[in-house]
Amino acid sequence: MPTSARVKTASGLLLVLTVLALNCESESEAKIDGETASDSESRAEPAPPTTSVDDTPEVLNRALSNLSSRWKNWWVRGILTLAMIAFFFIIIYLGPMVLMMIVMCVQIKCFHEIITIGYNVYHSYDLPWFRTLSWYFLLCVNYFFYGETVTDYFFTLVQREEPLRILSKYHRFISFTLYLTGFCMFVLSLVKKHYRLQFYMFGWTHVTLLIVVTQSHLVIHNLFEGMIWFIVPISCVICNDIMAYMFGFFFGRTPLIKLSPKKTWEGFIGGFFATVVFGLLLSYVMSGYRCFVCPVEYNNDTNSFTVDCEPSDLFRLQEYNIPGVIQSVIGWKTVRMYPFQIHSIALSTFASLIGPFGGFFASGFKRAFKIKDFANTIPGHGGIMDRFDCQYLMATFVNVYIASFIRGPNPSKLIQQFLTLRPDQQLHIFNTLKSHLTDKGILTATAEDE
């Protein structure tokens, strides 16, 4: 992978994943199993978790001690943002396998932050097996989703190794059995005086798993379509986050939404235009390199990932006519650009107009539990979830967008499945296909066929 390509495209990038979802406590007064709202678990308000403390490194505190809190926060966020961008330089350089591992690590950390909030809220009730079962369900769901991914993208390798072939054949049954084991453990852990709270946390865990692990699975799928489908959407979200903050910091006057008092219309609009321009430029740079536009495939001969192919029409320069109204303004009649740049407008528009609602959702959640950040992992930024609260919506949109407008039938996967059939089944498919192509005039009928 050319170093210059990585250097040009890594700027402004971060990583991906995870936005939250959970099941907040109901205020129902109905009776359940003979217990009423006067019971201790209904009467007591959960104690809010401890709010975030200032965990800024001491060296930064000393260096910025003469600045106001507003400008100190600005510099701390800026320095740590540059550090994270530099870290992502390294990840991009190391290739898709490392990216997948990072996605997995981010997923686990975000799950930990959300579950920790639940534990801090309800720890005084001493709910049995709560954390153990939460992590067990995370393991089960990851086994299912990543097993599906391995079977789909490493089909030849799986069929070649007998243990993997058996695991692949019965993968869904094994996954279901593992989940049923956890389900039975939860039922056995029920305690009469804590029924309601235990079902709250059961719902909390499952909705978190649904969002976190499912989105992680979609991110991996986007990556396999080509690193450009992974990097550009993430970069657009990050660019919008940065530019909205910058425009809001210097020009913000009009509040945007009550859930996030610091968000302004000036930042929202400025971030939108900056993100669209950024998406066009980044797409133009990346579309010229095969290492970014080619699907990530597993090479059975070398036992490694490859990203080499003949770029599709989506990543070949084409000439477009400019509308007459715009011609009179800029003086150009045509423009040469990659078709992917047109798709990048849709991606950057979603990242800047809809993506922030993931952040607003997270803000509402934090306000509900009276916490400032999900954790103190990154000074000036909060937890990992605080940095990736918009990425889940973006990952889902990209996956749906690819399935709806980009992806077509994959001949290589069809051939892989064809080769695993019995000889008589392969012969039947061959004769059927040959007859079909002959009827369409693509193949010429031979005397033997007649």
Side-chain angles (χ1 to χ4, degrees):
M1 186 181 297
T3 304
S4 60
R6 301 187 188 101
V7 172
K8 290 179 181 178
T9 57
S11 300
L13 311 179
L14 265 186
L15 189 51
V16 66
L17 222 98
T18 64
V19 105
L20 65 125
L22 54 292
N23 213 0
C24 292
E25 180 176 352
S26 169
E27 296 181 358
S28 171
E29 299 291 330
K31 296 181 179 181
I32 299 178
D33 292 340
E35 297 179 29
T36 67
S38 61
D39 294 330
S40 61
E41 68 176 39
S42 303
R43 200 171 54 238
E45 285 291 328
T50 305
T51 55
S52 302
V53 297
D54 182 13
D55 59 345
T56 306
E58 186 60 30
V59 63
L60 290 180
N61 275 328
R62 289 198 300 267
L64 305 175
S65 59
N66 295 328
L67 299 177
S68 64
S69 59
R70 181 169 180 260
W71 279 99
K72 178 182 176 182
N73 181 64
W74 191 91
W75 279 104
V76 170
R77 287 173 64 93
I79 293 172
L80 269 297
T81 296
L82 292 176
M84 288 186 286
I85 291 173
F87 177 65
F88 201 52
F89 263 103
I90 301 172
I91 297 173
I92 293 296
Y93 180 82
L94 294 177
M97 193 64 186
V98 175
L99 281 172
M100 294 178 204
M101 294 297 101
I102 293 295
V103 168
M104 182 72 170
C105 293
V106 170
Q107 173 213 121
I108 293 173
K109 178 56 179 173
C110 290
F111 180 83
H112 171 260
E113 291 179 359
I114 297 174
I115 291 300
T116 298
I117 292 174
Y119 178 75
N120 289 338
V121 169
Y122 295 112
H123 73 280
S124 60
Y125 296 100
D126 192 25
L127 301 181
W129 297 1
F130 166 53
R131 288 196 292 184
T132 301
L133 283 174
S134 296
W135 287 102
Y136 177 80
F137 282 126
L138 176 67
L139 176 65
C140 293
V141 177
N142 267 312
Y143 176 80
F144 171 74
F145 278 115
Y146 281 92
E148 292 284 309
T149 301
V150 168
T151 302
D152 191 20
Y153 291 99
F154 300 84
F155 187 82
T156 305
L157 174 64
V158 169
Q159 294 300 316
R160 192 173 62 194
E161 302 292 337
E162 184 64 17
L164 293 179
R165 189 183 64 80
I166 296 175
L167 287 175
S168 173
K169 182 178 181 180
Y170 301 106
H171 171 68
R172 296 192 177 185
F173 181 79
I174 296 173
S175 300
F176 183 65
T177 302
L178 290 173
Y179 178 81
L180 277 183
T181 302
F183 178 81
C184 293
M185 290 171 62
F186 168 75
V187 173
L188 293 175
S189 73
L190 291 173
V191 178
K192 184 176 181 180
K193 63 178 180 177
H194 293 322
Y195 284 160
R196 189 177 302 177
L197 287 178
Q198 286 181 284
F199 278 101
Y200 287 159
M201 301 316 300
F202 186 79
W204 181 306
T205 299
H206 277 65
V207 175
T208 303
L209 286 172
L210 176 65
I211 300 301
V212 172
V213 183
T214 301
Q215 302 307 316
S216 173
H217 183 63
L218 295 181
V219 168
I220 298 298
H221 275 230
N222 297 343
L223 177 60
F224 275 106
E225 293 295 328
M227 291 184 67
I228 195 169
W229 291 104
F230 177 85
I231 297 174
V232 169
I234 294 172
S235 302
C236 286
V237 171
I238 296 166
C239 174
N240 182 72
D241 190 28
I242 294 173
M243 298 312 297
Y245 177 79
M246 297 290 286
F247 276 94
F249 185 87
F250 291 106
F251 309 109
R253 296 293 183 273
T254 311
L256 175 63
I257 186 171
K258 291 182 179 180
L259 282 173
S260 297
K262 294 183 179 181
K263 299 290 193 304
T264 63
W265 276 104
E266 291 81 1
F268 187 75
I269 296 172
F272 165 70
F273 286 106
T275 303
V276 171
V277 173
F278 172 81
L280 285 169
L281 295 176
L282 181 62
S283 299
Y284 181 82
V285 172
M286 296 188 67
S287 294
Y289 295 92
R290 293 187 180 187
C291 57
F292 293 124
V293 304
C294 290
V296 178
E297 297 180 346
Y298 183 78
N299 189 316
N300 293 291
D301 297 327
T302 62
N303 289 326
S304 62
F305 288 102
T306 59
V307 284
D308 188 25
C309 67
E310 189 64 30
S312 65
D313 292 339
L314 198 62
F315 304 105
R316 294 181 181 178
L317 282 171
Q318 298 183 22
E319 196 168 87
Y320 294 91
N321 293 323
I322 298 177
V325 177
I326 302 179
Q327 285 184 25
S328 60
V329 177
I330 64 176
W332 297 349
K333 293 183 178 181
T334 61
V335 61
R336 286 176 59 81
M337 60 187 299
Y338 295 99
F340 180 79
Q341 289 181 272
I342 300 175
H343 294 291
S344 76
I345 296 175
L347 299 178
S348 57
T349 298
F350 185 92
S352 54
L353 297 184
I354 306 299
F357 280 85
F360 300 152
F361 179 79
S363 296
F365 170 73
K366 289 185 285 188
R367 283 178 172 272
F369 290 95
K370 298 179 176 61
I371 56 176
K372 180 182 178 182
D373 299 311
F374 283 95
N376 300 317
T377 308
I378 310 172
H381 292 268
I384 298 295
M385 179 59 77
D386 292 287
R387 288 300 87 212
F388 303 114
D389 51 9
C390 301
Q391 296 288 1
Y392 263 156
L393 286 177
M394 193 69 206
T396 304
F397 173 74
V398 172
N399 192 268
V400 172
Y401 190 88
I402 292 174
S404 301
F405 304 108
I406 305 298
R407 184 188 295 133
N410 191 327
S412 63
K413 290 185 179 180
L414 292 176
I415 293 174
Q416 288 176 355
Q417 294 177 348
F418 176 79
L419 294 176
T420 61
L421 299 176
R422 298 194 309 270
D424 60 310
Q425 294 174 323
Q426 294 179 2
L427 188 60
H428 174 70
I429 293 176
F430 170 76
N431 290 329
T432 302
L433 181 61
K434 183 179 180 181
S435 176
H436 173 71
L437 295 177
T438 301
D439 292 341
K440 294 185 68 174
I442 299 176
L443 292 180
T444 302
T446 64
E448 182 180 342
D449 295 332
E450 296 176 354

